[in-house]
């Protein structure tokens, strides 16, 4: 019986190697473990064996059955996956096909307005000599909080309600400030970089707040950098984006990783003030975390709300339109792109 078990294992291996079709796999399963299959026949023969041998071979036959069933199920699901991949690939290659992945009747597909404004911002900052860095959406406690001078029991953690993973160590980043820490790992001042990206907060939404939005982090470290540089920089940045004069005002604010901390609001044409960014002079403790001597260098950091820039630029009434998936909303931007709407 040992030999017949080994023979079944060998023939199973060979059959699976030969890239069988779904029908061949099903008939192989029938042949081996079906009611009148080889394995049940062997199990039937166990009766005539002595106790000890029966136990030993019975165990082997059970694990062989498991092996056969699992490997055939795996091969079947691989086949299904390959068929689905092929189907998707075909519909991707051929937009004219009925039921293709391409929506029909859309003539003005384009980039999402958020993607476009991010590209514009990257272009503006590149011109000003900033590097563009990236960071992961899933962050750890250290980069999102601790290295930014926000320890475990610090009340500032409550300001950014957080989506935690079950390990209580990883989270969806609540701000792009983690990119400051990552970016400084292999850089020494003078530095200027930005880190644009999506962030996530477990918060109630309204006209100006969403639970996921984009920020653009900026870091500038050099000798003799002051709040005056920061304010001049913010004003220049907004005027570049809006291509017109804007008013800004500052309010004192609190972020544990900067000192002093400020919030900058902006308005156009005497309209409503809107908070656009948080910023400040980098805290000496954070400077030490990122390996920079705070007695020699100083710097500013800011976190700009990218969605709010769009709301302001196009007088959009509610931030939630941006992620609504409503094509009537996003299609309007193709007219802006082609210069049809002054703003
Ligand atoms: C921060 O996230 C700090 N990390 C910013 C910072 C960076 C301060 C560097 C100092 C130094 P705040 O939570 O205020 O700060 O968010 C910054 C900006 O993101 C806000 O000014 C606003 O424009 C935007 N923002 C904040 N919450 C939301 C939200 N729920 N929906 C849309 N935009 C938001």
């Amino acid at each position: 019986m040992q030999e017949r078990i080994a023979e079944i294992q060998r023939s199973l291996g060979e059959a699976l190697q030969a890239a069988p079709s779904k029908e061949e796999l099903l008939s192989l399963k029938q042949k081996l473990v079906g009611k009148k299959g080889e394995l049940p026949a062997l199990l039937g023969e166990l009766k005539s064996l002595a106790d000890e041998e029966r136990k030993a071979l019975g165990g082997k036959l059970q694990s062989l059955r498991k092996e056969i069933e699992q490997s055939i199920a795996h091969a079947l699901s691989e086949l299904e996956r390959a068929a689905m991949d092929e189907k998707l690939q075909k519909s991707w290659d051929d937009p004219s096909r009925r039921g293709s992945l391409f929506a029909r009747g859309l003539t003005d597909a384009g980039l999402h307005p958020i993607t476009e404004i991010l590209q514009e911002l990257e272009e503006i900052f590149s011109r000003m000599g900033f590097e563009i860095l990236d960071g992961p959406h899933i962050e750890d406690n250290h980069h999102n909080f601790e290295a930014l001078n926000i320890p475990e029991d610090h009340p500032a953690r409550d300001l950014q309600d957080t989506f935690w993973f079950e390990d209580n160590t990883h989270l969806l980043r609540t701000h792009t400030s983690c990119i400051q820490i990552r970016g400084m790992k292999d850089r020494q001042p003078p530095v200027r970089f930005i880190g644009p990206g999506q962030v996530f907060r477990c918060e109630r939404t309204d006209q100006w707040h969403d639970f996921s939005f984009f920020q653009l982090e900026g870091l500038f470290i050099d000798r003799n950098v002051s709040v005056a540089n920061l304010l001049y920089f913010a004003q220049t940045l907004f005027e570049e984006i809006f291509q017109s004069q804007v008013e800004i005002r500052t309010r004192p604010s609190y972020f544990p990783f900067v000192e002093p901390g400020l919030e900058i609001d902006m308005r156009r044409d005497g309209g409503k003030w809107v908070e656009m960014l948080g910023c400040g002079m980098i805290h000496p403790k954070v400077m030490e975390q990122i390996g920079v001597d705070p007695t020699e260098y100083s710097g500013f950091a800011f976190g700009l709300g990218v969605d709010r820039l769009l709301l302001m630029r196009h007088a959009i009434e509610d931030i939630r339109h941006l992620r609504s998936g409503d094509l009537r909303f996003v299609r309007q931007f193709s007219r802006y792109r082609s210069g049809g709407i002054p703003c």
Side-chain angles (χ1 to χ4, degrees), residues 59-109:
K60 272 199 179 155
L61 285 175
Q62 287 309 343
S63 48
L64 180 58
R65 175 196 286 275
K66 217 173 175 186
E67 181 189 335
I68 294 170
E69 285 173 346
Q70 282 177 348
S71 47
I72 292 182
H74 177 71
L76 282 169
S77 77
E78 283 295 295
L79 275 182
E80 238 168 65
R81 198 172 56 84
M84 180 56 81
D85 280 352
E86 194 185 350
K87 195 171 156 199
L88 289 174
Q89 189 59 44
K90 266 198 198 133
S91 71
W92 188 252
D93 291 343
D94 179 6
S96 66
R97 263 182 83 242
R98 190 172 281 281
S100 115
L101 282 182
F102 286 89
R104 291 173 152 239
L106 299 185
T107 51
D108 53 355

Side-chain angles (χ1 to χ4, degrees), residues 175 177 201 203 209-210 213 215 217 255 275-277 303:
H175 53 179
S177 296
R201 292 186 192 176
E203 67 176 289
H209 295 84
D210 213 342
F213 54 100
Q215 284 188 338
E217 193 76 9
F255 303 99
E275 179 201 317
M276 300 302 284
L277 58 86

